[in-house]
Amino acid sequence: MKSENTSIYYIVPAVVCGIATACVVTGSVAYMVLGAVLGLLSAGFWMNVVVPKDGEA
């Protein structure tokens, strides 16, 4: 049985990478927030679609 705490391994790096990418490319705080949101969306997609759930594989 998987623990729900494993989602932190996807969420934190996605947010950090989204913010870092926006910081390097634009340096704007608004784009850093947008990068964080897009990072969260990509982490959610990865957890729900790409990583198989228990019993489905």
Side-chain angles (χ1 to χ4, degrees), residues 13-23 31-32 34-36 38-39:
V15 170
V16 170
C17 289
I19 292 172
T21 302
C23 182
Y31 282 111
M32 287 187 218
L34 180 64
L38 292 174

Side-chain angles (χ1 to χ4, degrees), residues 13-14 16 22-25 27 35 39 43 46 50 53:
V16 170
C23 182
V24 168
V25 172
W46 184 265
V50 177
K53 295 182 177 75

Side-chain angles (χ1 to χ4, degrees), residues 5-49:
N5 293 334
T6 58
S7 64
I8 198 78
Y9 296 125
Y10 299 112
I11 292 174
V12 171
V15 170
V16 170
C17 289
I19 292 172
T21 302
C23 182
V24 168
V25 172
T26 63
S28 171
V29 175
Y31 282 111
M32 287 187 218
V33 172
L34 180 64
V37 170
L38 292 174
L40 287 173
L41 289 173
S42 65
F45 174 79
W46 184 265
M47 288 186 305
N48 290 323
V49 175

